[in-house]
Amino acid sequence: MLTKFLHGPSFVSGAARGIGKATAFAFAKYGSPQVAIADVDAATLKQTAKELKDQYPNVEILPIEFDAANTDSTIKAIETAYSKFGRIDHAVNNVGTPGPLAPSISVSTSDFKNLIDINLTSMWVAQREQIKIMLKQEPVQQEFGKVRGTIVNMSSVWGGFGTRDFPAGTAYSATKHGIRGLTKSASFLI
Ligand SMILES: NC(=O)c1ccc[n+]([C@@H]2O[C@H](COP(=O)([O-])OP(=O)(O)OC[C@H]3O[C@@H](n4cnc5c(N)ncnc54)[C@H](O)[C@@H]3O)[C@@H](O)[C@H]2O)c1
């Protein structure tokens, strides 16, 4: 059975827990020699880094504290991983929060904008910075083909449709629809 099929360093955001953490473990398990895990929750991030190091002592683990609500912080997180590893072959932009789960009439503009910053703007900024890096680096032969890098942006089932049965998801669903748009539109670039 193929167990080591990923070549090159990885970057996973929102990796302190949940899907991001599971993704970081999968990258370490399936061959990525260096894994950067980025998150706003410093304490949980530290614990996750320890768990990864304990389970995969031969994999270099780089915990990066950052806040996706802040553009400079998002850019710095990716720069930190790139300057340490020299390339980023696998990026998973996974940060996402439900935000104000309430019907639009009960949500302030500032709460809506804050969710856009965390879920959508940070995703676009991260993708932009990763594309810049990947366009500069030589392609590497992965199991699925010779590529300069791959980027996964975490949307949701709520990025594919909306329903009046879930009016509390208006802001979240808007961000997740946006993620699909920015991903599809950039997919030809690398
Ligand atoms: N869990 C689900 O059922 C589900 C379904 C569809 C989509 N998703 C999406 O998958 C992604 C991960 O979901 P999850 O369930 O693992 O979430 P989670 O809440 O368990 O983990 C999210 C991680 O993101 C981090 N985070 C939150 N705000 C941040 C910020 N401002 N800056 C940096 N890090 C921040 C958190 O600290 C946490 O470690 C999200 O984008 C979510 O919208 C989840």
Side-chain angles (χ1 to χ4, degrees), residues 13-21 38-42 44-45 65-70 73-74 93-98 118-119 122-123 153-158 172 175-176 179:
S13 72
R17 64 167 193 249
I19 295 169
K21 178 179 178 179
D39 206 283
V40 75
D41 179 350
T44 310
L45 185 67
E65 193 183 337
F66 91 112
D67 184 357
N70 181 297
S73 181
T74 300
N93 301 315
N94 167 71
V95 168
T97 173
I118 295 171
N119 283 11
S122 78
M123 195 76 65
N153 296 325
M154 193 62 71
S155 180
S156 163
V157 65
W158 296 107
Y172 180 75
T175 66
K176 293 300 183 180
I179 290 166

Side-chain angles (χ1 to χ4, degrees), residues 127 130-131 134-135 147-151 186-190:
Q127 176 179 262
Q130 290 152 359
I131 289 172
M134 288 175 183
L135 286 174
V147 292
R148 293 182 193 278
T150 56
I151 302 173
S187 60
F188 69 93
L189 279 173
I190 304 177

Side-chain angles (χ1 to χ4, degrees), residues 82-162:
Y82 180 54
S83 66
K84 179 82 174 165
F85 297 158
R87 41 188 303 138
I88 297 175
D89 286 288
H90 319 279
V92 178
N93 301 315
N94 167 71
V95 168
T97 173
L101 283 177
S104 292
I105 53 169
S106 307
V107 174
S108 69
T109 306
S110 66
D111 283 350
F112 177 78
K113 284 185 171 178
N114 186 46
L115 190 69
I116 294 284
D117 282 346
I118 295 171
N119 283 11
L120 186 58
T121 307
S122 78
M123 195 76 65
W124 180 79
V125 169
Q127 176 179 262
R128 181 188 68 192
E129 298 307 304
Q130 290 152 359
I131 289 172
K132 283 186 206 166
I133 288 168
M134 288 175 183
L135 286 174
K136 280 189 292 191
Q137 60 194 23
E138 288 303 312
V140 162
Q141 187 67 48
Q142 305 283 354
E143 292 303 320
F144 45 85
K146 199 168 182 183
V147 292
R148 293 182 193 278
T150 56
I151 302 173
V152 173
N153 296 325
M154 193 62 71
S155 180
S156 163
V157 65
W158 296 107
F161 75 104

